[in-house]
Amino acid sequence: MITATRLRETTHAIALLFAALLLAFGAQAALATIAAPTQPDATTPESAMPGETDPVTAEEAAAADSSIPGYEPLGPEMIKGQPTAFEDDALKSMTFQDQYNANGEYALWMHDAILMPIITIISLFVLGLLLWVVVRYRRGANPVASKTTHNTLIEVVWTVIPIIILLVIAVPSISLLAKQYETPPKDAITIKATGYQWYWGYTYPDQGGFEIISNMLDEADAMDRGLPGQLAVDNRMVVPVGVPLRIQTTAADVIHSFALPSLWFKNDAVPGRINEKMLIIDEPGIYYGQCSELCGARHGYMPIAVEAVPMDQWRAWVIGQGGSFEDAEVAADAREEVINAQDGDAAATDAASTEGGSDAAAAE
């Protein structure tokens, strides 16, 4: 028979167990709330989400760009750097894109004029040797196998010729490496490209430090505008054409890679590190690239779009984005003052020399 004391103890134990269960589930719910990523509400534009863009927001951004005095966004007819579809040109789709700067042209020349001929000749030569050996030294034609084990001439030839081939390849290769990693000049325009999961941010530190966030456009919206799907973005990285650009790359989360095939440019974006390379774009146009380092689930949906425009249009775009050129103008004014002062000192020195010579002539 259960006594009153035993009943009270059992009830108390059940109550404690129930309270512990409630406390445990409550703590888990709180931790889940803290750990779960914040979900955007209905008022948050999808362009703020990595790798996605609301077409309306993209249209508003394009309209805002087009309203900047002195700057006109480039249209689809100005696309120069993008992949070629196999259906359009099967051969071109399997080789390099057309190049639009000096390094790219040099690299393409090296590939077409040096590497491909050497590779083709070696491949055909080896194939010919294999066929000749199959026919000439088959069992039916050689019932008694040759005992030859060495041939000094052949051994010298197959050692010297590969060395010469490697030297022929090495000279332009080392030259191309040096060109690719040439240090930007002091007056180069600095742009920092930051990789996020999964979109890009472009900061202009020399023009006030403003940042442009670039997300991939919805494919249907891109097609409506005549732009390539999965390459078009809402905000391009706008740069001036024909001047040195100091492209700095970094990342906020994982390793990304900033790659523009038609400009022969590729630089890794590593968290906590800034990598730097110089880029000069020869012609105005739109150039597309993509992140080329596996960076997560939406790695294939963070394209790069660079819009190269003349300097006056780029300056107008920067001002329209809230940037400024005060620091650059102050530096230019300071340099001009120094040059003028040096010219004045030189003129004064020349005048003094002339007067001294006149006095000497008069005294004689």
Side-chain angles (χ1 to χ4, degrees), residues 277-307:
K277 283 180 67 176
M278 183 171 66
L279 173 64
I280 300 176
I281 304 176
D282 291 342
E283 301 178 16
I286 300 172
Y287 304 91
Y288 288 111
Q290 287 181 314
C291 174
S292 57
E293 183 71 36
L294 187 59
C295 59
R298 294 188 63 81
H299 157 69
Y301 301 96
M302 51 181 302
I304 301 164
V306 174
E307 179 177 334

Side-chain angles (χ1 to χ4, degrees), residues 222-309:
M223 296 298 183
D224 290 341
R225 301 185 189 190
L227 300 173
Q230 297 188 0
L231 287 176
V233 300
D234 54 356
N235 295 307
R236 302 168 185 152
M237 185 179 87
V238 182
V239 299
V241 68
V243 298
L245 306 174
R246 181 184 292 106
I247 306 297
Q248 298 178 339
T249 56
T250 187
D253 32 54
V254 299
I255 298 178
H256 301 274
S257 188
F258 190 84
L260 293 160
S262 61
L263 298 175
W264 203 261
F265 188 94
K266 182 178 183 295
N267 216 16
D268 286 345
V270 182
R273 178 183 299 177
I274 292 182
N275 293 325
E276 179 178 292
K277 283 180 67 176
M278 183 171 66
L279 173 64
I280 300 176
I281 304 176
D282 291 342
E283 301 178 16
I286 300 172
Y287 304 91
Y288 288 111
Q290 287 181 314
C291 174
S292 57
E293 183 71 36
L294 187 59
C295 59
R298 294 188 63 81
H299 157 69
Y301 301 96
M302 51 181 302
I304 301 164
V306 174
E307 179 177 334
V309 297

Side-chain angles (χ1 to χ4, degrees), residues 54 63 91 95 105 143 289 345 348 358:
D54 180 19
L91 183 60
T95 185
E105 292 176 355
D345 293 342
S358 300

Side-chain angles (χ1 to χ4, degrees), residues 138-210:
R138 70 188 189 277
R139 179 176 296 180
N142 292 273
V144 179
S146 172
K147 301 294 185 179
T148 303
T149 57
H150 292 80
N151 187 300
T152 302
L153 177 61
I154 292 179
E155 290 182 359
V156 170
V157 169
W158 74 32
T159 301
V160 173
I161 290 181
I163 292 175
I164 296 174
I165 293 174
L166 291 176
L167 289 175
V168 170
I169 296 175
V171 173
S173 297
I174 295 173
S175 178
L176 178 60
L177 284 174
K179 292 174 183 293
Q180 289 181 154
Y181 291 96
E182 184 179 352
T183 302
K186 291 183 178 180
D187 59 349
I189 296 172
T190 302
I191 303 172
K192 185 172 74 172
T194 304
Y196 301 93
Q197 287 182 311
W198 289 271
Y199 58 100
W200 291 94
Y202 306 118
T203 306
Y204 294 74
D206 295 340
Q207 287 74 44
F210 67 92

Side-chain angles (χ1 to χ4, degrees), residues 6-235:
R6 177 64 63 85
L7 181 59
R8 283 196 303 270
E9 291 177 355
T10 303
T11 305
H12 184 65
I14 294 174
L16 289 176
L17 180 60
F18 185 70
L21 291 174
L22 287 177
L23 183 61
F25 283 115
Q28 288 183 357
L31 290 174
T33 303
I34 295 172
T38 303
Q39 297 295 328
D41 55 25
T43 60
T44 303
E46 292 183 12
S47 59
M49 298 176 62
E52 297 182 2
T53 302
D54 180 19
V56 177
T57 304
E59 290 174 1
E60 291 175 353
D65 280 348
S66 62
S67 64
I68 297 175
Y71 166 75
E72 185 69 26
L74 299 181
E77 70 281 356
M78 291 299 292
I79 296 175
K80 295 186 176 179
Q82 67 172 335
T84 301
F86 182 84
E87 295 77 13
D88 297 336
D89 191 330
L91 183 60
K92 194 172 182 180
S93 68
M94 294 185 288
T95 185
F96 293 104
Q97 297 180 20
D98 295 336
Q99 298 299 309
Y100 294 93
N101 65 5
N103 287 346
E105 292 176 355
Y106 182 86
L108 192 59
W109 165 82
M110 176 184 168
H111 174 267
D112 294 342
I114 297 179
L115 295 182
M116 285 304 296
I118 290 177
I119 292 171
T120 303
I121 291 172
I122 291 176
S123 299
L124 293 176
F125 177 71
V126 172
L127 177 62
L129 283 179
L130 289 174
L131 294 176
W132 181 66
V133 167
V134 168
V135 174
R136 176 67 179 79
Y137 296 102
R138 70 188 189 277
R139 179 176 296 180
N142 292 273
V144 179
S146 172
K147 301 294 185 179
T148 303
T149 57
H150 292 80
N151 187 300
T152 302
L153 177 61
I154 292 179
E155 290 182 359
V156 170
V157 169
W158 74 32
T159 301
V160 173
I161 290 181
I163 292 175
I164 296 174
I165 293 174
L166 291 176
L167 289 175
V168 170
I169 296 175
V171 173
S173 297
I174 295 173
S175 178
L176 178 60
L177 284 174
K179 292 174 183 293
Q180 289 181 154
Y181 291 96
E182 184 179 352
T183 302
K186 291 183 178 180
D187 59 349
I189 296 172
T190 302
I191 303 172
K192 185 172 74 172
T194 304
Y196 301 93
Q197 287 182 311
W198 289 271
Y199 58 100
W200 291 94
Y202 306 118
T203 306
Y204 294 74
D206 295 340
Q207 287 74 44
F210 67 92
E211 183 179 25
I212 299 297
I213 299 299
S214 178
N215 285 278
M216 187 183 76
L217 275 179
D218 178 76
E219 189 164 1
D221 185 47
M223 296 298 183
D224 290 341
R225 301 185 189 190
L227 300 173
Q230 297 188 0
L231 287 176
V233 300
D234 54 356
N235 295 307

